[in-house]
Amino acid sequence: MSKAIAYIRASTNAQDVKNQRHEISEFGHRVGLRINEFVEVTVSSRHSSRKRRIEELQVRLQPDDTLLVTELSRLGRSTGEVILLINQLVAYGVVVFIIKQNLRLGADTQDMTAKVMV
């Protein structure tokens, strides 16, 4: 059975994960998507993917699962890192929603605009 996992990352303790959680929850409600789990971390993007719990996400996500993030910058520290991660997830069969950029990326996504935006 497929599941939806939300990834929330704040860079510092001064930032709040509550806003991201609320934004993702509201999005899920609007599109009729039940979010099964929230993965939250407060750590700078300069830390390793392990500390940012990206490796954990990659292990937990299965084909046909959905990953939700508020914006691309939550997934990595550089454009190359984010593109590599999204390409890996999509190739594995995961659908990725990036809410603020209004992007849905998945194996069935033929929207060139979405791909260019990433």
Side-chain angles (χ1 to χ4, degrees), residues 9-98:
R9 184 182 61 79
S11 297
T12 67
N13 287 329
Q15 293 179 337
D16 193 356
V17 296
K18 289 179 193 173
N19 290 337
Q20 289 180 59
R21 180 184 269 272
H22 177 73
E23 188 172 348
I24 291 170
S25 295
E26 287 293 315
F27 176 81
H29 180 72
R30 267 195 325 271
V31 301
L33 182 64
R34 181 178 172 269
I35 298 158
N36 303 93
E37 183 178 350
F38 287 85
V39 174
E40 297 180 10
V41 62
T42 301
V43 64
S44 167
S45 64
R46 294 180 182 163
H47 287 280
S48 70
S49 59
R50 179 181 300 259
K51 283 189 178 182
R52 289 181 287 134
R53 298 180 70 184
I54 296 295
E55 291 177 9
E56 176 186 335
L57 275 179
Q58 289 176 296
V59 170
R60 285 181 157 174
L61 289 163
Q62 299 296 312
D64 297 322
D65 285 351
T66 301
L67 174 64
L68 298 105
V69 294
T70 55
E71 56 189 301
L72 284 169
S73 65
R74 301 301 85 202
L75 292 174
R77 65 180 177 261
S78 70
T79 302
E81 182 180 24
V82 171
I83 290 171
L84 179 64
L85 175 60
I86 289 175
N87 283 339
Q88 288 172 343
L89 291 171
V90 168
Y92 189 58
V94 174
V95 174
V96 181
F97 279 101
I98 300 106

